[in-house]
């Protein structure tokens, strides 16, 4: 698993050609390695969007209205939960508990933790992502 | 006079609420004024509704200000908070805040007080006293001390830690292991995270003592990937301890050899189950193993392994320092010592409350937690994570105790309590429990893998009003199969939230409401 974490850290996902290489090095079958890659939610098999927004979907956040907030985020970011936008700009995913349950609802945006979320905070996230998008266009 | 120190927490919750920005702003503002202060990035005290909580040392004690926004920094400095001066955000002496004052902090005694990465600070607050005593006692007496304390596994199963240690110590082996379960996946829990971020040496010391006690020279901490900050703090703390000769060969001249490593999970809830965790540590899919053999006989890489919850291991130093009897004197019945109860969800004063077993649930929710954050009435609480039962307000007299909860078909689990107000739809929550089980099932046993998916479908039919009564019978039958037929707690305990929601809140499933009991 440390190998897979390192690959994902470097490439943003676990590229399929890496699987036979790992299998050979560790003296395992390809199926065993592929089985590990597909078992864990963290390992991506394709690149994520340039921005990754993970919204907590567990009970504590639900008790503070995370379900409605998730619907709002889908609308604002223009992408469905669990998917990446067609332009590869943003990925929106559920995550089950960031351990910030006493300041719910919470999220992780590009690795940064955010707590006490509301619609204004989502607006800000969407705004930041749109601004970065505009910069990319300018380039 | 020594310059007073300023404390700005380096804790995931505090950071999520802006602590890093506050820290930056404070540093800049102090520099602009040409004054220097020692700013310590401490852990959190666990009073999360006040985060980010800034503290300043004064002759009377540490005075707190919170929750501080970056925009508050200027006004705090203007008001003279560095002298503990009044300000609208001032919460007075932190130790006097009732939420903290009412606690019995044994495991979490140092959290938020010390600099997490200062060994000197750790030792000045009792650190390594437990280890010294364990060295003096020797392995067998150390195991007996833990047995005597009555400590039970804090992960949820509540198995006596001393018995586990005895079993591993007695198993013949060329190599034994200590594994710390820091895969704290339950919603509403953050106790493990708090220890790792606020007092990492406490876990290192606890694991070292465990190694000494059972003759294990190697330990692993399996930390979930949702806790990147905890992982980073632990990595640093392990490096510091190794540098100081507190990990490695012949620790502090005691003749004890022990070293440990961090391992990162990858977002699989089921890896919090001990045998799935061991498979994951070995680099495999996190699939649950059939027991026996017990991990104590054949655990990691087939060797005898102590696998304990992080809180159990972090409680070991205080037990060794103060004695098993001291610890045992807290609590009630067969639940001895203290439990870090984590108040979360829709609650006014959310945070960590460590107290002796036996406190009634209602007292925790209302007196300690201050009721809901939304100000609406409490409808239900879920205790013990996603696999824990929903309790209605009529059961709020239940004391926080393993057996008392079990008697009500509930569990205390890892000590998380999530509060819901009267807007919650319990049929939806029951469906979520099944969905979560379907999402996280390791797939090894049929009741969990298939049962959870069928459960979601059946609850959908009930919600839609499709042959409601017949489908409720199917749902109950399915829950029974999952409860009795699943290999581990994931499938086995998913029926708890489902059935408790159905039993206590039938009106949400379109059935007739439960009649109020006469005594209430």
């Amino acid at each position: 698993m440390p190998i897979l974490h390192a690959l994902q850290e470097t490439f943003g996902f676990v590229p399929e050609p890496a699987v036979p290489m790992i299998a050979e090095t560790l003296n395992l079958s390809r199926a065993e390695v592929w089985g590990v890659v597909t078992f864990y939610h963290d390992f991506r098999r394709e690149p994520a969007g340039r921005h990754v927004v993970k919204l907590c979907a567990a009970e504590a956040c639900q008790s503070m209205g995370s379900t409605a907030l998730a619907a709002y985020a889908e609308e604002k970011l223009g992408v469905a939960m669990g998917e990446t936008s067609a332009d590869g700009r943003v990925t929106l995913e559920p995550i089950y508990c960031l351990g910030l349950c006493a300041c719910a609802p919470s999220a992780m945006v590009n690795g940064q933790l955010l707590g006490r979320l509301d619609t204004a905070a989502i607006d800000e996230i969407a705004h930041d992502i749109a601004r970065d998008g505009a910069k990319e266009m300018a380039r | 006079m020594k310059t007073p120190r300023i404390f700005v927490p380096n804790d995931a919750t505090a950071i999520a609420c802006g602590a890093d920005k506050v820290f930056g702003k404070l540093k800049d503002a102090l520099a602009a004024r040409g004054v220097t202060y020692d700013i310590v990035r401490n852990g959190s005290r666990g009073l999360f509704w006040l985060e980010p909580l800034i503290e300043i040392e004064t002759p009377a004690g540490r005075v707190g200000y919170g929750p501080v926004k970056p925009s508050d920094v200027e006004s705090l400095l203007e008001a003279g908070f560095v002298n503990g001066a009044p300000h609208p955000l001032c919460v007075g002496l932190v130790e006097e805040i009732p939420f903290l004052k009412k606690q019995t902090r044994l495991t979490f005694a140092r959290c938020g007080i010390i600099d997490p990465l200062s060994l000197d600070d750790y030792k000045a607050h009792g650190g390594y006293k437990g280890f010294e005593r364990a060295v003096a006692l020797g392995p067998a007496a150390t195991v007996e001390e833990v047995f005597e304390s009555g400590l039970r596994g804090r992960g949820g199963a509540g198995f006596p830690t001393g018995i586990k240690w005895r079993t591993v110590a007695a198993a013949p082996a060329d190599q034994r292991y200590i594994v710390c379960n820091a895969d704290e996946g339950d919603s509403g829990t953050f106790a493990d995270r708090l220890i790792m971020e606020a007092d990492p040496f406490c876990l290192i010391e606890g694991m070292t003592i465990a190694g000494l006690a059972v003759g294990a020279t190697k330990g692993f901490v399996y930390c979930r990937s949702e806790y990147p900050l905890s992982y980073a703090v632990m990595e640093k703390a392990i490096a510091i301890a190794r540098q100081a000769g507190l990990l490695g060969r012949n620790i502090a001249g005691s003749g004890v050899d022990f070293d440990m490593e961090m391992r990162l999970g990858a977002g699989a809830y089921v890896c919090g189950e001990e045998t799935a965790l061991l498979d994951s540590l070995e680099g495999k899919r996190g699939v649950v193993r059939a027991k026996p053999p017990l991990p104590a006989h054949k655990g990691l890489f087939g060797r005898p392994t102590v696998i304990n919850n992080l809180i159990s291991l972090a409680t070991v130093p205080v037990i060794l320092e103060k004695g098993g009897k001291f610890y045992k004197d807290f609590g009630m019945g067969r639940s001895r010592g203290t439990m870090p109860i984590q108040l979360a969800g829709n609650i006014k004063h959310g945070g960590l409350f460590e107290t002796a077993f036996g406190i009634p649930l209602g007292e925790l929710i209302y007196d300690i937690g201050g009721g809901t954050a939304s100000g609406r009435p409490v409808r239900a609480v879920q205790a013990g994570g996603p696999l824990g039962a929903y309790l209605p307000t009529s059961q709020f007299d239940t004391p926080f105790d393993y057996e008392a909860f079990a008697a009500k078909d509930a569990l205390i689990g890892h000590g998380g309590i999530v509060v819901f107000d009267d807007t919650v739809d319990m049929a939806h929550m029951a469906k979520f429990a099944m969905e979560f089980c379907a999402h996280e099932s390791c797939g090894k046993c049929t009741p969990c893998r298939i049962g959870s998916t069928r459960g979601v479908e059946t609850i959908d039919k009930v919600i839609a009003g499709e042959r409601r009564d017949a489908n409720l019978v199917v749902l109950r039958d399915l829950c029974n199969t999952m409860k009795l037929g699943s290999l581990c707690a994931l499938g086995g305990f998913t029926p708890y939230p489902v059935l408790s929601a159905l039993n206590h809140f039938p009106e949400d499933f379109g059935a007739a409401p439960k009649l109020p009991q006469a005594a209430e």
Side-chain angles (χ1 to χ4, degrees):
Chain A
M1 273 175 55
I3 298 173
L4 297 175
H5 273 300
L7 282 170
Q8 175 135 326
E9 178 101 335
T10 311
F11 297 104
F13 68 113
V14 179
E16 212 172 318
V19 172
M21 292 189 240
I22 299 171
E24 193 163 341
T25 314
L26 299 181
N27 196 21
L28 295 168
S29 72
R30 288 180 198 188
E32 282 170 307
V33 177
W34 189 241
V36 173
V37 175
T38 54
F39 181 83
Y40 296 96
H41 302 305
D42 279 7
F43 298 130
R44 296 178 193 284
R45 281 162 270 168
E46 49 198 41
R50 288 186 289 282
H51 298 273
V52 179
V53 178
K54 295 182 180 188
L55 276 185
C56 182
E59 290 91 336
C61 286
Q62 289 190 28
S63 78
M64 292 300 280
S66 69
T67 313
L69 203 64
Y72 184 80
E74 285 183 324
E75 189 196 315
K76 272 280 158 183
L77 298 172
V79 55
M81 189 58 83
E83 290 179 9
T84 302
S85 60
D87 59 2
R89 190 184 291 167
V90 58
T91 299
L92 181 65
E93 291 177 333
I95 190 166
Y96 292 96
C97 199
L98 291 160
L100 310 174
C101 316
C103 63
S106 60
M108 191 191 257
V109 179
N110 298 328
Q112 297 288 312
L113 296 169
L114 295 171
R116 296 181 194 140
L117 289 180
D118 50 20
T119 50
I122 299 285
D123 287 344
E124 201 175 314
I125 295 167
H127 179 255
D128 286 353
I129 291 173
R131 197 189 49 207
D132 276 15
K135 265 193 220 152
E136 282 159 23
M137 295 286 273
R139 252 185 262 135
Chain B
M1 193 190 114
K2 207 174 118 222
T3 340
R5 291 185 296 173
I6 301 173
F7 296 85
V8 181
N10 182 40
D11 162 271
T13 298
I15 289 172
C17 297
D20 279 349
K21 285 184 186 138
V22 170
F23 172 70
K25 193 92 186 238
L26 182 64
K27 228 169 50 174
D28 293 348
L30 287 170
R33 283 171 166 75
V35 286
T36 44
Y37 277 91
D38 187 8
I39 308 180
V40 176
R41 297 302 302 265
N42 60 334
S44 174
R45 300 256 195 175
L47 286 64
F48 288 138
W49 78 97
L50 291 174
E51 292 295 357
L53 174 69
I54 293 186
E55 295 177 50
I56 179 85
E57 279 175 335
T58 74
R62 275 157 67 163
V63 175
Y65 299 83
V68 177
K69 291 196 291 288
S71 54
D72 296 324
V73 169
E74 276 300 324
S75 80
L76 279 168
L77 281 165
E78 288 303 319
F81 95 96
V82 289
N83 303 312
H87 183 276
L89 292 176
C90 184
V91 292
L93 291 170
V94 176
E95 304 279 349
E96 295 299 318
I97 298 173
F99 188 94
L100 202 55
K101 205 172 175 170
K102 283 186 198 162
Q103 302 196 33
T104 308
R105 288 215 164 177
L106 301 179
T107 311
F108 288 79
R110 284 174 291 263
C111 283
I113 296 174
I114 61 166
D115 176 346
L117 291 173
S118 161
L119 258 178
D120 291 340
D121 237 8
Y122 181 66
K123 287 181 176 167
H125 287 83
Y128 281 98
K129 290 225 168 65
F131 176 71
E132 281 166 23
R133 185 147 171 271
V135 171
L137 286 173
T142 300
V143 173
E144 289 318 302
E145 196 77 38
V146 172
F147 180 77
E148 155 90 24
S149 74
L151 178 67
R152 292 167 70 178
R154 296 291 187 245
F159 188 81
T161 306
I163 294 182
K164 212 182 242 186
W165 286 24
R166 271 184 190 166
T167 314
V168 174
D174 55 342
Q175 173 73 53
R176 298 184 185 86
Y177 293 105
I178 307 295
V179 173
C180 168
N181 184 344
D183 195 55
E184 183 174 49
D186 290 358
S187 173
T189 62
F190 37 76
D192 296 357
R193 182 176 68 68
L194 205 61
I195 287 282
M196 289 191 277
E197 291 170 12
D199 196 9
F201 293 119
C202 179
L203 174 60
I204 296 174
E205 184 185 351
M207 288 182 67
T208 310
I209 295 171
L212 175 160
V214 305
T217 53
K218 180 88 198 177
F220 293 93
V221 178
Y222 187 91
C223 175
R224 63 201 296 260
S225 61
E226 290 86 346
Y227 287 177
L229 183 67
S230 304
Y231 187 85
V233 174
M234 281 304 302
E235 285 265 84
K236 280 186 200 154
I238 289 172
I240 293 168
R242 208 174 275 145
Q243 191 92 43
L246 293 169
L247 284 174
R249 290 199 168 278
N250 190 17
I251 292 169
S254 62
V256 176
D257 297 340
F258 186 78
D259 209 339
M260 59 190 276
E261 283 176 39
M262 294 298 293
R263 280 288 185 277
L264 197 59
Y269 176 77
V270 75
C271 290
E273 196 282 332
E274 59 179 11
T275 60
L277 189 154
L278 292 174
D279 265 22
S280 183
L281 260 184
E282 292 177 5
K284 301 175 190 154
R285 293 162 68 93
V287 174
V288 176
R289 300 177 185 174
K291 286 190 269 191
L294 294 170
H297 292 129
K298 281 193 161 75
L300 187 63
F301 304 116
R303 303 301 205 290
T305 302
V306 165
I307 176 162
N308 277 145
N309 182 260
L310 187 146
I311 300 302
S312 313
L313 288 165
T315 304
V316 166
V318 68
I319 290 174
L320 264 297
E321 182 194 342
K322 305 205 166 151
K325 194 182 168 306
F326 166 84
Y327 190 76
K328 192 184 179 173
D329 284 344
F330 295 94
M332 69 175 274
R334 287 175 50 218
S335 304
R336 309 312 314 176
T338 58
M339 182 76 192
I341 297 165
Q342 299 132 76
L343 300 172
N346 194 336
I347 190 155
K348 198 166 160 204
H349 294 161
L352 182 126
F353 192 85
E354 182 177 354
T355 189
F357 283 98
I359 186 170
L361 186 57
E363 192 179 328
L364 285 166
I365 309 299
Y366 297 118
D367 303 343
I368 311 291
T372 61
S374 59
R376 303 182 65 93
V378 176
R379 178 135 190 255
V381 302
Q382 186 179 30
L387 310 176
Y390 286 97
L391 292 111
T393 50
S394 59
Q395 290 187 339
F396 274 18
D397 57 342
T398 313
F400 207 85
D401 163 87
Y402 289 102
E403 278 70 36
F405 265 57
K408 304 246 159 118
D409 269 334
L411 45 124
I412 66 172
H414 188 49
I417 295 180
V418 177
V419 180
F420 293 83
D421 70 13
D422 60 352
T423 58
V424 66
D425 175 354
M426 296 308 294
H428 172 80
M429 298 317 294
K431 182 183 155 190
F432 178 79
M434 283 291 189
E435 276 175 343
F436 185 75
C437 180
H439 190 256
E440 299 294 342
S441 175
C442 81
K444 182 156 177 166
C445 70
T446 319
C448 172
R449 185 184 67 241
I450 310 280
S452 53
T453 302
R454 293 290 100 87
V456 174
E457 293 163 2
T458 312
I459 297 175
D460 268 339
K461 285 182 192 157
V462 169
I463 293 172
E466 197 179 311
R467 298 178 61 227
R468 184 176 288 135
D469 293 343
N471 275 313
L472 283 175
V473 173
V474 171
L475 182 62
R476 283 186 185 277
D477 187 50
L478 180 65
C479 281
N480 201 38
T481 304
M482 287 176 71
K483 200 167 163 178
L484 301 174
S486 298
L487 205 50
C488 84
L490 180 53
F493 287 6
T494 296
Y496 280 100
V498 176
L499 289 177
S500 59
L502 184 55
N503 290 337
H504 299 305
F505 307 95
E507 63 275 22
D508 286 13
F509 294 80
K514 195 179 168 190
L515 292 172
Q517 281 163 21
E520 287 156 12

